[in-house]
Amino acid sequence: MKLATWNVNSLNVRLGHVLDWLQANPVDALCLQELKLPDEKFPHEALLAAGYHACWAGQKTYNGVAILSRAPALDVQRNIPGYEDPQQRIIAATLPGPDGKPVRIISAYCPNGQAVDSDKYAYKLDWFQALHGWLGEEIARHPDLAILGDYNVAPADEDVHDPAAWADGILVSGPERQAFRDLLGLGLQDTFRLFEQPPRIFSWWDYRQMGFRRNAGLRIDHILATAGLAARCRACEVDKIPRGWEKPSDHAPVVATFGAARAEAGQANRL
């Protein structure tokens, strides 16, 4: 089973990229963020023609999340229950997983926060707290769960191209990183860090100042999985290729592969 996440920064603009990527990378489920289109404009027919069912939560101009899957999604949930928020940032669904066991999949577009000490930063921390509370309940109901998305948090300095330049700023501040660690405290594991990885692997690069060419990026797109599912994770990597396409998203897809059992050789769980 392959699960992937990709902030496409406008599905309307990058539908062709998504279809091309899925043809070359036939994952079982792809979680999308920043659809930037309302529900009625979602291109479900084009995706179904490509072999993918979809569930989505759209919003005009901003935000929006979706799950594309080979199998139809069950028990779909939009947004965090009980958390009043007009921004469309969460969609969850149940899909068949390895060995036929159901897996709960969540596509998340976490707030950016704009700047430390801003109102949007306070909203970000409040949103993460609400996410934490709901995820605890979801994990209790769904032992095999993966939450994929753009977290807008670089968890450690190794996830930042220039830690000194970014120190204490947005996406890397202490409270944001603590909010991420709190999610791990629920029993989730960062699948990318289950394996030895080359240095300076990122998932987002600023459009400005030739960020991608200079590899001046951040790793802010993550696939977190519960312990039982993480134990079956065989690989997790960032696919940088689409970031080099014409008019790309500023994010690259992250892909995790799961099987019936994870081979132990050559793998290091550093959590």
Side-chain angles (χ1 to χ4, degrees), residues 193-218:
R193 292 298 177 201
L194 292 175
F195 308 93
E196 292 294 336
Q197 301 284 0
R200 296 178 59 79
I201 297 295
F202 309 121
S203 63
W204 171 87
W205 301 261
D206 200 319
Y207 287 127
R208 299 167 296 181
Q209 299 178 337
M210 296 186 295
F212 183 62
R213 290 187 182 182
R214 297 187 297 112
N215 198 27
L218 303 175

PDB file of all heavy atoms in Angstrom, residues 193-218:
ATOM      1  N   ARG A 193      11.250   9.687   9.253  1.00  0.00           N
ATOM      2  CA  ARG A 193      12.357   9.512  10.180  1.00  0.00           C
ATOM      3  C   ARG A 193      12.472   8.086  10.714  1.00  0.00           C
ATOM      4  O   ARG A 193      13.292   7.814  11.595  1.00  0.00           O
ATOM      5  CB  ARG A 193      12.236  10.500  11.338  1.00  0.00           C
ATOM      6  CG  ARG A 193      12.443  11.957  10.907  1.00  0.00           C
ATOM      7  CD  ARG A 193      13.817  12.176  10.351  1.00  0.00           C
ATOM      8  NE  ARG A 193      14.023  13.555   9.864  1.00  0.00           N
ATOM      9  CZ  ARG A 193      14.945  13.907   8.998  1.00  0.00           C
ATOM     10  NH1 ARG A 193      15.750  12.980   8.483  1.00  0.00           N
ATOM     11  NH2 ARG A 193      15.066  15.172   8.619  1.00  0.00           N
ATOM     12  N   LEU A 194      11.688   7.172  10.174  1.00  0.00           N
ATOM     13  CA  LEU A 194      11.883   5.765  10.504  1.00  0.00           C
ATOM     14  C   LEU A 194      13.103   5.202   9.785  1.00  0.00           C
ATOM     15  O   LEU A 194      13.569   4.112  10.106  1.00  0.00           O
ATOM     16  CB  LEU A 194      10.647   4.953  10.090  1.00  0.00           C
ATOM     17  CG  LEU A 194       9.352   5.211  10.865  1.00  0.00           C
ATOM     18  CD1 LEU A 194       8.212   4.422  10.246  1.00  0.00           C
ATOM     19  CD2 LEU A 194       9.513   4.866  12.333  1.00  0.00           C
ATOM     20  N   PHE A 195      13.597   5.949   8.799  1.00  0.00           N
ATOM     21  CA  PHE A 195      14.667   5.445   7.946  1.00  0.00           C
ATOM     22  C   PHE A 195      15.835   6.425   7.907  1.00  0.00           C
ATOM     23  O   PHE A 195      15.654   7.633   8.072  1.00  0.00           O
ATOM     24  CB  PHE A 195      14.131   5.236   6.518  1.00  0.00           C
ATOM     25  CG  PHE A 195      12.883   4.400   6.477  1.00  0.00           C
ATOM     26  CD1 PHE A 195      11.629   4.999   6.495  1.00  0.00           C
ATOM     27  CD2 PHE A 195      12.962   3.025   6.450  1.00  0.00           C
ATOM     28  CE1 PHE A 195      10.476   4.245   6.473  1.00  0.00           C
ATOM     29  CE2 PHE A 195      11.799   2.253   6.432  1.00  0.00           C
ATOM     30  CZ  PHE A 195      10.555   2.858   6.452  1.00  0.00           C
ATOM     31  N   GLU A 196      17.019   5.901   7.672  1.00  0.00           N
ATOM     32  CA  GLU A 196      18.168   6.766   7.433  1.00  0.00           C
ATOM     33  C   GLU A 196      17.901   7.534   6.134  1.00  0.00           C
ATOM     34  O   GLU A 196      17.521   6.942   5.128  1.00  0.00           O
ATOM     35  CB  GLU A 196      19.451   5.946   7.303  1.00  0.00           C
ATOM     36  CG  GLU A 196      19.880   5.271   8.599  1.00  0.00           C
ATOM     37  CD  GLU A 196      20.280   6.268   9.675  1.00  0.00           C
ATOM     38  OE1 GLU A 196      20.654   7.413   9.311  1.00  0.00           O
ATOM     39  OE2 GLU A 196      20.210   5.924  10.865  1.00  0.00           O
ATOM     40  N   GLN A 197      18.095   8.835   6.174  1.00  0.00           N
ATOM     41  CA  GLN A 197      17.813   9.675   5.019  1.00  0.00           C
ATOM     42  C   GLN A 197      19.050  10.500   4.664  1.00  0.00           C
ATOM     43  O   GLN A 197      19.846  10.845   5.536  1.00  0.00           O
ATOM     44  CB  GLN A 197      16.651  10.634   5.321  1.00  0.00           C
ATOM     45  CG  GLN A 197      15.348   9.956   5.713  1.00  0.00           C
ATOM     46  CD  GLN A 197      14.607   9.350   4.533  1.00  0.00           C
ATOM     47  OE1 GLN A 197      15.059   9.436   3.396  1.00  0.00           O
ATOM     48  NE2 GLN A 197      13.465   8.740   4.810  1.00  0.00           N
ATOM     49  N   PRO A 198      19.225  10.821   3.394  1.00  0.00           N
ATOM     50  CA  PRO A 198      20.310  11.731   3.017  1.00  0.00           C
ATOM     51  C   PRO A 198      20.084  13.091   3.681  1.00  0.00           C
ATOM     52  O   PRO A 198      18.945  13.446   4.014  1.00  0.00           O
ATOM     53  CB  PRO A 198      20.193  11.827   1.496  1.00  0.00           C
ATOM     54  CG  PRO A 198      19.377  10.656   1.082  1.00  0.00           C
ATOM     55  CD  PRO A 198      18.452  10.373   2.215  1.00  0.00           C
ATOM     56  N   PRO A 199      21.134  13.872   3.860  1.00  0.00           N
ATOM     57  CA  PRO A 199      20.960  15.201   4.441  1.00  0.00           C
ATOM     58  C   PRO A 199      20.260  16.155   3.474  1.00  0.00           C
ATOM     59  O   PRO A 199      20.236  15.920   2.264  1.00  0.00           O
ATOM     60  CB  PRO A 199      22.390  15.657   4.719  1.00  0.00           C
ATOM     61  CG  PRO A 199      23.218  14.900   3.734  1.00  0.00           C
ATOM     62  CD  PRO A 199      22.549  13.568   3.580  1.00  0.00           C
ATOM     63  N   ARG A 200      19.669  17.194   4.029  1.00  0.00           N
ATOM     64  CA  ARG A 200      19.081  18.279   3.259  1.00  0.00           C
ATOM     65  C   ARG A 200      17.990  17.785   2.299  1.00  0.00           C
ATOM     66  O   ARG A 200      17.977  18.109   1.119  1.00  0.00           O
ATOM     67  CB  ARG A 200      20.152  19.056   2.503  1.00  0.00           C
ATOM     68  CG  ARG A 200      21.142  19.770   3.423  1.00  0.00           C
ATOM     69  CD  ARG A 200      22.231  20.495   2.641  1.00  0.00           C
ATOM     70  NE  ARG A 200      21.674  21.495   1.733  1.00  0.00           N
ATOM     71  CZ  ARG A 200      21.255  22.708   2.091  1.00  0.00           C
ATOM     72  NH1 ARG A 200      21.331  23.079   3.363  1.00  0.00           N
ATOM     73  NH2 ARG A 200      20.767  23.556   1.195  1.00  0.00           N
ATOM     74  N   ILE A 201      17.068  16.990   2.843  1.00  0.00           N
ATOM     75  CA  ILE A 201      15.895  16.577   2.089  1.00  0.00           C
ATOM     76  C   ILE A 201      14.723  17.430   2.561  1.00  0.00           C
ATOM     77  O   ILE A 201      14.374  17.419   3.753  1.00  0.00           O
ATOM     78  CB  ILE A 201      15.580  15.088   2.294  1.00  0.00           C
ATOM     79  CG1 ILE A 201      16.728  14.232   1.770  1.00  0.00           C
ATOM     80  CG2 ILE A 201      14.270  14.725   1.593  1.00  0.00           C
ATOM     81  CD1 ILE A 201      16.954  14.327   0.280  1.00  0.00           C
ATOM     82  N   PHE A 202      14.100  18.151   1.646  1.00  0.00           N
ATOM     83  CA  PHE A 202      13.017  19.062   1.981  1.00  0.00           C
ATOM     84  C   PHE A 202      11.796  18.757   1.112  1.00  0.00           C
ATOM     85  O   PHE A 202      11.887  18.009   0.134  1.00  0.00           O
ATOM     86  CB  PHE A 202      13.465  20.518   1.788  1.00  0.00           C
ATOM     87  CG  PHE A 202      14.769  20.832   2.478  1.00  0.00           C
ATOM     88  CD1 PHE A 202      15.874  21.294   1.761  1.00  0.00           C
ATOM     89  CD2 PHE A 202      14.905  20.651   3.842  1.00  0.00           C
ATOM     90  CE1 PHE A 202      17.079  21.570   2.392  1.00  0.00           C
ATOM     91  CE2 PHE A 202      16.104  20.928   4.491  1.00  0.00           C
ATOM     92  CZ  PHE A 202      17.197  21.388   3.756  1.00  0.00           C
ATOM     93  N   SER A 203      10.658  19.353   1.474  1.00  0.00           N
ATOM     94  CA  SER A 203       9.434  19.132   0.698  1.00  0.00           C
ATOM     95  C   SER A 203       8.827  20.434   0.183  1.00  0.00           C
ATOM     96  O   SER A 203       7.868  20.397  -0.590  1.00  0.00           O
ATOM     97  CB  SER A 203       8.394  18.392   1.554  1.00  0.00           C
ATOM     98  OG  SER A 203       8.006  19.182   2.672  1.00  0.00           O
ATOM     99  N   TRP A 204       9.369  21.568   0.627  1.00  0.00           N
ATOM    100  CA  TRP A 204       8.876  22.886   0.194  1.00  0.00           C
ATOM    101  C   TRP A 204      10.055  23.800  -0.072  1.00  0.00           C
ATOM    102  O   TRP A 204      11.038  23.815   0.687  1.00  0.00           O
ATOM    103  CB  TRP A 204       7.975  23.504   1.270  1.00  0.00           C
ATOM    104  CG  TRP A 204       7.606  24.938   0.992  1.00  0.00           C
ATOM    105  CD1 TRP A 204       6.557  25.384   0.258  1.00  0.00           C
ATOM    106  CD2 TRP A 204       8.308  26.116   1.437  1.00  0.00           C
ATOM    107  NE1 TRP A 204       6.549  26.763   0.210  1.00  0.00           N
ATOM    108  CE2 TRP A 204       7.616  27.233   0.926  1.00  0.00           C
ATOM    109  CE3 TRP A 204       9.453  26.323   2.212  1.00  0.00           C
ATOM    110  CZ2 TRP A 204       8.029  28.547   1.172  1.00  0.00           C
ATOM    111  CZ3 TRP A 204       9.869  27.621   2.450  1.00  0.00           C
ATOM    112  CH2 TRP A 204       9.159  28.723   1.932  1.00  0.00           C
ATOM    113  N   TRP A 205       9.938  24.559  -1.176  1.00  0.00           N
ATOM    114  CA  TRP A 205      10.951  25.541  -1.543  1.00  0.00           C
ATOM    115  C   TRP A 205      10.247  26.809  -2.004  1.00  0.00           C
ATOM    116  O   TRP A 205       9.339  26.757  -2.847  1.00  0.00           O
ATOM    117  CB  TRP A 205      11.837  25.025  -2.682  1.00  0.00           C
ATOM    118  CG  TRP A 205      12.556  23.756  -2.373  1.00  0.00           C
ATOM    119  CD1 TRP A 205      13.847  23.608  -1.960  1.00  0.00           C
ATOM    120  CD2 TRP A 205      12.036  22.419  -2.495  1.00  0.00           C
ATOM    121  NE1 TRP A 205      14.163  22.278  -1.809  1.00  0.00           N
ATOM    122  CE2 TRP A 205      13.061  21.525  -2.127  1.00  0.00           C
ATOM    123  CE3 TRP A 205      10.794  21.895  -2.868  1.00  0.00           C
ATOM    124  CZ2 TRP A 205      12.896  20.140  -2.124  1.00  0.00           C
ATOM    125  CZ3 TRP A 205      10.609  20.521  -2.858  1.00  0.00           C
ATOM    126  CH2 TRP A 205      11.657  19.664  -2.490  1.00  0.00           C
ATOM    127  N   ASP A 206      10.664  27.939  -1.501  1.00  0.00           N
ATOM    128  CA  ASP A 206      10.068  29.218  -1.870  1.00  0.00           C
ATOM    129  C   ASP A 206      10.246  29.456  -3.369  1.00  0.00           C
ATOM    130  O   ASP A 206      11.277  29.113  -3.953  1.00  0.00           O
ATOM    131  CB  ASP A 206      10.745  30.338  -1.074  1.00  0.00           C
ATOM    132  CG  ASP A 206       9.906  31.603  -1.011  1.00  0.00           C
ATOM    133  OD1 ASP A 206       9.309  31.972  -2.046  1.00  0.00           O
ATOM    134  OD2 ASP A 206       9.869  32.234   0.049  1.00  0.00           O
ATOM    135  N   TYR A 207       9.210  30.036  -3.988  1.00  0.00           N
ATOM    136  CA  TYR A 207       9.327  30.393  -5.400  1.00  0.00           C
ATOM    137  C   TYR A 207      10.393  31.468  -5.617  1.00  0.00           C
ATOM    138  O   TYR A 207      10.976  31.572  -6.694  1.00  0.00           O
ATOM    139  CB  TYR A 207       7.988  30.948  -5.914  1.00  0.00           C
ATOM    140  CG  TYR A 207       6.893  29.924  -6.095  1.00  0.00           C
ATOM    141  CD1 TYR A 207       5.650  30.107  -5.504  1.00  0.00           C
ATOM    142  CD2 TYR A 207       7.073  28.794  -6.889  1.00  0.00           C
ATOM    143  CE1 TYR A 207       4.614  29.197  -5.690  1.00  0.00           C
ATOM    144  CE2 TYR A 207       6.054  27.874  -7.078  1.00  0.00           C
ATOM    145  CZ  TYR A 207       4.829  28.090  -6.475  1.00  0.00           C
ATOM    146  OH  TYR A 207       3.803  27.180  -6.666  1.00  0.00           O
ATOM    147  N   ARG A 208      10.632  32.283  -4.603  1.00  0.00           N
ATOM    148  CA  ARG A 208      11.533  33.427  -4.744  1.00  0.00           C
ATOM    149  C   ARG A 208      12.990  33.021  -4.571  1.00  0.00           C
ATOM    150  O   ARG A 208      13.305  32.013  -3.962  1.00  0.00           O
ATOM    151  CB  ARG A 208      11.165  34.499  -3.713  1.00  0.00           C
ATOM    152  CG  ARG A 208       9.744  35.045  -3.853  1.00  0.00           C
ATOM    153  CD  ARG A 208       9.340  35.847  -2.641  1.00  0.00           C
ATOM    154  NE  ARG A 208       9.279  35.019  -1.440  1.00  0.00           N
ATOM    155  CZ  ARG A 208       8.924  35.472  -0.244  1.00  0.00           C
ATOM    156  NH1 ARG A 208       8.624  36.745  -0.075  1.00  0.00           N
ATOM    157  NH2 ARG A 208       8.887  34.644   0.794  1.00  0.00           N
ATOM    158  N   GLN A 209      13.875  33.824  -5.127  1.00  0.00           N
ATOM    159  CA  GLN A 209      15.322  33.702  -4.934  1.00  0.00           C
ATOM    160  C   GLN A 209      15.850  32.310  -5.291  1.00  0.00           C
ATOM    161  O   GLN A 209      16.751  31.789  -4.652  1.00  0.00           O
ATOM    162  CB  GLN A 209      15.695  34.058  -3.499  1.00  0.00           C
ATOM    163  CG  GLN A 209      15.325  35.491  -3.125  1.00  0.00           C
ATOM    164  CD  GLN A 209      15.653  35.826  -1.686  1.00  0.00           C
ATOM    165  OE1 GLN A 209      15.769  34.947  -0.828  1.00  0.00           O
ATOM    166  NE2 GLN A 209      15.829  37.114  -1.409  1.00  0.00           N
ATOM    167  N   MET A 210      15.246  31.702  -6.324  1.00  0.00           N
ATOM    168  CA  MET A 210      15.698  30.399  -6.822  1.00  0.00           C
ATOM    169  C   MET A 210      15.815  29.373  -5.692  1.00  0.00           C
ATOM    170  O   MET A 210      16.779  28.615  -5.603  1.00  0.00           O
ATOM    171  CB  MET A 210      17.045  30.548  -7.548  1.00  0.00           C
ATOM    172  CG  MET A 210      16.976  31.406  -8.795  1.00  0.00           C
ATOM    173  SD  MET A 210      18.519  31.436  -9.736  1.00  0.00           S
ATOM    174  CE  MET A 210      19.605  32.251  -8.551  1.00  0.00           C
ATOM    175  N   GLY A 211      14.797  29.351  -4.834  1.00  0.00           N
ATOM    176  CA  GLY A 211      14.829  28.466  -3.676  1.00  0.00           C
ATOM    177  C   GLY A 211      15.039  27.009  -4.038  1.00  0.00           C
ATOM    178  O   GLY A 211      15.825  26.310  -3.384  1.00  0.00           O
ATOM    179  N   PHE A 212      14.366  26.526  -5.088  1.00  0.00           N
ATOM    180  CA  PHE A 212      14.509  25.122  -5.444  1.00  0.00           C
ATOM    181  C   PHE A 212      15.880  24.836  -6.037  1.00  0.00           C
ATOM    182  O   PHE A 212      16.512  23.824  -5.705  1.00  0.00           O
ATOM    183  CB  PHE A 212      13.409  24.722  -6.428  1.00  0.00           C
ATOM    184  CG  PHE A 212      13.420  23.268  -6.800  1.00  0.00           C
ATOM    185  CD1 PHE A 212      13.220  22.288  -5.839  1.00  0.00           C
ATOM    186  CD2 PHE A 212      13.635  22.872  -8.112  1.00  0.00           C
ATOM    187  CE1 PHE A 212      13.232  20.937  -6.172  1.00  0.00           C
ATOM    188  CE2 PHE A 212      13.647  21.528  -8.457  1.00  0.00           C
ATOM    189  CZ  PHE A 212      13.444  20.562  -7.483  1.00  0.00           C
ATOM    190  N   ARG A 213      16.350  25.702  -6.884  1.00  0.00           N
ATOM    191  CA  ARG A 213      17.675  25.495  -7.495  1.00  0.00           C
ATOM    192  C   ARG A 213      18.773  25.461  -6.431  1.00  0.00           C
ATOM    193  O   ARG A 213      19.743  24.710  -6.542  1.00  0.00           O
ATOM    194  CB  ARG A 213      17.975  26.595  -8.506  1.00  0.00           C
ATOM    195  CG  ARG A 213      17.129  26.531  -9.773  1.00  0.00           C
ATOM    196  CD  ARG A 213      17.599  27.556 -10.793  1.00  0.00           C
ATOM    197  NE  ARG A 213      16.779  27.552 -11.988  1.00  0.00           N
ATOM    198  CZ  ARG A 213      16.991  28.313 -13.047  1.00  0.00           C
ATOM    199  NH1 ARG A 213      18.024  29.158 -13.053  1.00  0.00           N
ATOM    200  NH2 ARG A 213      16.182  28.252 -14.088  1.00  0.00           N
ATOM    201  N   ARG A 214      18.602  26.266  -5.403  1.00  0.00           N
ATOM    202  CA  ARG A 214      19.598  26.311  -4.331  1.00  0.00           C
ATOM    203  C   ARG A 214      19.332  25.280  -3.233  1.00  0.00           C
ATOM    204  O   ARG A 214      20.104  25.167  -2.290  1.00  0.00           O
ATOM    205  CB  ARG A 214      19.637  27.710  -3.704  1.00  0.00           C
ATOM    206  CG  ARG A 214      20.053  28.817  -4.645  1.00  0.00           C
ATOM    207  CD  ARG A 214      20.237  30.148  -3.921  1.00  0.00           C
ATOM    208  NE  ARG A 214      19.004  30.639  -3.313  1.00  0.00           N
ATOM    209  CZ  ARG A 214      18.781  30.735  -2.003  1.00  0.00           C
ATOM    210  NH1 ARG A 214      19.707  30.331  -1.143  1.00  0.00           N
ATOM    211  NH2 ARG A 214      17.631  31.212  -1.547  1.00  0.00           N
ATOM    212  N   ASN A 215      18.253  24.542  -3.376  1.00  0.00           N
ATOM    213  CA  ASN A 215      17.796  23.605  -2.338  1.00  0.00           C
ATOM    214  C   ASN A 215      17.645  24.317  -0.998  1.00  0.00           C
ATOM    215  O   ASN A 215      17.979  23.778   0.055  1.00  0.00           O
ATOM    216  CB  ASN A 215      18.730  22.399  -2.196  1.00  0.00           C
ATOM    217  CG  ASN A 215      18.044  21.246  -1.456  1.00  0.00           C
ATOM    218  OD1 ASN A 215      16.818  21.105  -1.485  1.00  0.00           O
ATOM    219  ND2 ASN A 215      18.832  20.435  -0.776  1.00  0.00           N
ATOM    220  N   ALA A 216      17.125  25.533  -1.052  1.00  0.00           N
ATOM    221  CA  ALA A 216      16.858  26.305   0.159  1.00  0.00           C
ATOM    222  C   ALA A 216      15.422  26.026   0.578  1.00  0.00           C
ATOM    223  O   ALA A 216      14.498  26.792   0.272  1.00  0.00           O
ATOM    224  CB  ALA A 216      17.073  27.791  -0.091  1.00  0.00           C
ATOM    225  N   GLY A 217      15.211  24.905   1.240  1.00  0.00           N
ATOM    226  CA  GLY A 217      13.864  24.459   1.537  1.00  0.00           C
ATOM    227  C   GLY A 217      13.633  24.106   2.985  1.00  0.00           C
ATOM    228  O   GLY A 217      14.499  24.265   3.851  1.00  0.00           O
ATOM    229  N   LEU A 218      12.418  23.596   3.231  1.00  0.00           N
ATOM    230  CA  LEU A 218      12.010  23.110   4.542  1.00  0.00           C
ATOM    231  C   LEU A 218      11.274  21.790   4.348  1.00  0.00           C
ATOM    232  O   LEU A 218      10.621  21.577   3.322  1.00  0.00           O
ATOM    233  CB  LEU A 218      11.060  24.089   5.231  1.00  0.00           C
ATOM    234  CG  LEU A 218      11.509  25.531   5.467  1.00  0.00           C
ATOM    235  CD1 LEU A 218      10.350  26.332   6.056  1.00  0.00           C
ATOM    236  CD2 LEU A 218      12.703  25.578   6.408  1.00  0.00           C
TER     237      LEU A 218
END
